Amino acid sequence: MAQKRQTWRQNKEGFEKGVFICLPYLISVFLVSIFILSGAIVFRYLDESIAAQPWCYGKVVPRNSSSQLFCVVYSFVGIPMMFLLFSNTGKLLAKSYWLMYAWCNNDKELILSNKCYLPLKFVLLMIILHSLIGGIIFHVWIDEMPYVTAIYFSFISITTIGYGDLNPNPDNLIHTLIIIIYLSTGLVVMSRWYLLSYMARRRLLDTLERPDVAALRLKEVFSYDTEQHIGN
């Protein structure tokens, strides 16, 4: 009985710790969602052509002076906000990973720092899985693209290359929300990839004059060592 109480107490403490870590990020997601919904309402009010195309993807553009001016101001504020959101969500993903890692390994001494990184192998796996899932979504369900084309569209979109040669055609609100969520999660994963790639390149450049420590520096990026990724 005492052991069950101790286990329950540990689970409760872990849950409270997870909520405390997630709460600021959830608030930021809520605020950005309000910003996006507000922008959608204003665009529909200012431009009748946008109001007439509620579910279109990649084909909605402001066509009058009022909506174009609002687009400039809205983008000026919104794009940095979105990049900040993706970065913070990536940090939340990293912290969640290491919390799960500690829970699976029964590590009670876990202390997360602000500099918390995902292992590079895990990020690569997430990118591959995300692209494959996108291929299934756009091949089977939403737009019935050829499977390879669907994977290509997914990867081009989350890397923000966006040639504009492919535009899915969502039929309803559910399809539109799925596309938004799917591409947003992809951007979060890619932000982690860009960060780790930058770290690897920087450490390689820093150690060119000291090849004896180059392998040790690279291990900090490529390994699953909790001391390197969690911090003190």
Side-chain angles (χ1 to χ4, degrees):
M1 188 69 178
Q3 185 177 2
K4 289 184 178 180
R5 289 180 179 177
Q6 183 178 3
T7 302
W8 180 84
R9 190 179 299 109
Q10 291 175 352
N11 292 336
K12 181 181 178 182
E13 291 175 355
F15 175 77
E16 291 175 350
K17 185 176 183 180
V19 171
F20 179 76
I21 291 174
C22 294
L23 187 59
Y25 300 102
L26 295 177
I27 292 175
S28 66
V29 170
F30 174 76
L31 293 177
V32 171
S33 300
I34 295 298
F35 180 80
I36 293 173
L37 291 175
S38 302
I41 293 172
V42 174
F43 273 118
R44 288 172 61 86
Y45 174 77
L46 294 176
D47 198 325
E48 294 181 356
S49 64
I50 295 177
Q53 304 179 65
W55 313 123
C56 290
Y57 175 92
K59 300 177 182 178
V60 181
V61 295
R63 299 185 183 277
N64 58 43
S65 300
S66 299
S67 60
Q68 290 170 353
L69 181 61
F70 176 73
C71 182
V72 171
V73 177
Y74 186 77
S75 301
F76 184 77
V77 177
I79 291 176
M81 185 183 298
M82 290 301 298
F83 278 118
L84 181 61
L85 175 65
F86 292 144
S87 176
N88 288 336
T89 307
K91 292 178 182 178
L92 174 61
L93 181 62
K95 290 181 178 181
S96 300
Y97 173 89
W98 288 113
L99 283 173
M100 183 63 67
Y101 180 94
W103 181 77
C104 293
N105 290 275
N106 197 25
D107 183 0
K108 300 178 182 179
E109 304 298 327
L110 175 68
I111 301 176
L112 292 175
S113 69
N114 290 328
K115 295 182 179 180
C116 187
Y117 307 113
L118 286 170
L120 186 60
K121 295 178 182 179
F122 181 74
V123 174
L124 287 173
L125 177 62
M126 290 183 65
I127 292 174
I128 294 172
L129 290 177
H130 189 273
S131 298
L132 294 176
I133 292 172
I136 295 173
I137 290 175
F138 294 108
H139 172 66
V140 176
W141 190 16
I142 292 182
D143 214 35
E144 297 184 357
M145 299 179 183
Y147 189 68
V148 175
T149 303
I151 294 176
Y152 159 79
F153 167 76
S154 302
F155 189 79
I156 290 298
S157 297
I158 65 174
T159 52
T160 67
I161 296 174
Y163 289 120
D165 52 337
L166 295 172
N167 291 311
N169 298 302
D171 298 326
N172 51 54
L173 177 61
I174 300 299
H175 286 181
T176 303
L177 290 177
I178 289 173
I179 293 174
I180 292 173
I181 294 172
Y182 173 77
L183 296 181
S184 297
T185 55
L187 288 169
V188 170
V189 175
M190 288 305 300
S191 71
R192 296 295 93 188
W193 165 252
Y194 294 146
L195 174 63
L196 292 175
S197 300
Y198 168 76
M199 289 173 56
R201 183 184 64 179
R202 186 184 65 182
R203 287 172 178 171
L204 273 176
L205 293 175
D206 290 343
T207 54
L208 283 178
E209 297 180 358
R210 299 186 60 189
D212 55 317
V213 298
L216 180 61
R217 294 294 187 184
L218 282 177
K219 185 179 178 181
E220 296 178 5
V221 177
F222 287 92
S223 73
Y224 283 81
D225 186 1
T226 57
E227 293 181 358
Q228 300 293 347
H229 294 284
I230 296 177
N232 297 317

